[in-house]
Each structure stands twice: as structure tokens, then as C-alpha cells.
């Protein structure tokens, strides 16, 4: 473990050093390339900002309105049969939209049930193996000007369901 800690302390400086040396070898003005990339990045941020604000507002409204608690009570009856506690439903729903809001819900679950509890284990594993589907699709597809998403949403939902199932399975093994 000490080796990994030592390597992780030097990895970022080594990457920066490598980029500068590669730029010198290939006679590239690394700073100008960096500035151009930063300009492009800022243009992307400005173009996707309305989408980000809309997603964050929607998640905030769902949480504040009590809708997530209501839907948890309704869907929880079914999910309890599969070993998914009803307390996980808000996290599952919000995770598809916002990683930061899901992190907040995760911290609430950890505070209430503990990190080593069954719910805490599912939460930890699920946060690691699921993605913010709608956020990712809206941001990256908007930035890349993709109009036809084909099977992306269906595939993302199936992989999220697989991640949730794996979370429940692994949490059962560990608890």
C-alpha cells in the first residue's frame, strides 16, 4: 500500500513533466496549445451551462418537494422484494441526473445508517458502478452536437440496472 501512496504523490508532476518534455522534443509550444485548449473548454462550458443549471434545479425541486420520499414509499414495496431497501430509491433516481446531489444523498444515508451497514455498502458500491445518465447524455451530446442518440439511453439504463443489481449482490456477500 505504501508503494501506491508514494506513486500517487508523484504521478501528476510526472505527467506534467512528460508533456513539457514531449513538447520540447517535438518543438511544440505547449503553453499556446494549453491556452487554446482552455479557450475551447470555456466555450463548451458556456454552451452547456443552461443544461447544467436546469438539471440541478430539477433535482433540487424533486428533493425539496417531497416527491422523492413519496416515490420511495410507493416503489419501495416492490424493491424490498429484490433486496433493495426503499431508502435507496431517492439515491437511485437522483444518481441518474446529478452526481453531486447523489453524493449529498449518500452522505445522508451514511449518517443515518452507517457506512458499514447494508444500506451503506449498497450506496458505496452503487455510487462506484453507476453513471449520471441524463447529465452525461445531455452535456456530451449537446457539446458534440449529437442529435440521434440511437440506443444510448436504453444501454445506459440497462447498465445502471446491472450496476444496482451488482451492488445489492456484493453488499449481501459483505454483510
Amino acid at each position: 500500500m505504501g508503494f501506491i501512496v508514494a506513486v500517487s504523490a508523484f504521478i501528476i508532476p510526472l505527467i506534467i513533466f512528460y508533456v513539457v518534455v514531449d513538447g520540447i522534443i517535438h518543438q511544440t509550444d505547449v503553453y499556446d496549445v494549453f491556452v487554446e485548449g482552455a479557450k475551447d473548454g470555456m466555450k463548451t462550458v458556456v454552451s452547456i451551462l443552461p443544461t447544467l443549471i436546469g438539471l440541478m434545479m430539477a433535482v433540487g425541486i424533486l428533493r425539496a418537494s417531497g416527491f422523492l420520499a413519496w416515490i420511495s414509499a410507493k416503489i419501495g414495496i416492490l424493491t424490498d422484494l429484490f433486496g433493495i431497501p426503499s431508502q435507496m430509491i431517492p439515491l437511485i433516481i437522483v444518481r441518474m441526473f446529478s452526481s453531486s446531489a447523489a453524493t449529498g444523498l449518500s452522505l445522508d444515508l451514511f449518517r443515518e445508517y452507517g457506512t458499514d451497514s447494508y444500506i451503506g455498502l449498497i450506496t458505496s458500491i452503487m455510487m462506484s458502478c453507476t453513471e449520471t445518465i441524463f447529465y452525461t447524455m445531455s452535456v456530451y451530446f449537446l457539446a458534440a452536437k449529437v442529435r440521434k442518440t440511437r440506443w444510448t439511453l436504453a444501454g445506459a439504463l440497462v447498465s445502471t440496472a446491472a450496476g444496482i443489481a451488482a451492488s445489492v449482490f456484493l453488499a449481501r456477500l459483505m454483510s
Side-chain angles (χ1 to χ4, degrees):
M1 189 66 160
F3 174 74
I4 293 173
V5 171
V7 169
S8 66
F10 292 103
I11 197 77
I12 299 293
L14 285 174
I15 290 172
I16 293 170
F17 179 74
Y18 170 78
V19 168
V20 170
V21 169
D22 188 62
I24 291 169
I25 290 171
H26 291 99
Q27 297 177 350
T28 304
D29 189 353
V30 177
Y31 183 74
D32 284 345
V33 171
F34 170 77
V35 169
E36 285 301 314
K39 282 182 191 176
D40 288 345
M42 288 306 292
K43 289 176 187 173
T44 302
V45 167
V46 168
S47 71
I48 64 174
L49 195 59
T51 304
L52 293 175
I53 292 170
L55 281 171
M56 288 182 208
M57 281 182 48
V59 168
I61 290 168
L62 285 175
R63 237 183 133 178
S65 69
F67 176 76
L68 291 176
W70 177 81
I71 197 92
S72 295
K74 300 298 180 194
I75 296 176
I77 297 166
L78 179 65
T79 61
D80 283 336
L81 299 173
F82 297 103
I84 303 171
S86 61
Q87 297 89 335
M88 297 295 302
I89 303 301
L91 180 62
I92 291 169
I93 294 169
V94 168
R95 177 69 174 149
M96 291 188 272
F97 294 92
S98 170
S99 182
S100 58
T103 301
L105 288 173
S106 296
L107 293 174
D108 291 345
L109 289 171
F110 291 153
R111 235 179 269 117
E112 188 170 343
Y113 300 101
T115 54
D116 290 334
S117 66
Y118 181 63
I119 290 174
L121 290 172
I122 294 174
T123 300
S124 298
I125 299 167
M126 191 187 79
M127 288 293 287
S128 300
C129 65
T130 58
E131 181 57 73
T132 53
I133 299 168
F134 298 105
Y135 167 81
T136 304
M137 284 181 65
S138 63
V139 169
Y140 293 117
F141 284 177
L142 182 68
K145 296 179 177 64
V146 174
R147 297 285 176 241
K148 295 181 181 177
T149 60
R150 298 187 189 194
W151 294 97
T152 305
L153 180 59
L157 289 171
V158 167
S159 64
T160 295
I164 293 166
S167 301
V168 171
F169 176 74
L170 292 171
R172 271 199 189 144
L173 289 178
M174 289 184 228
S175 60

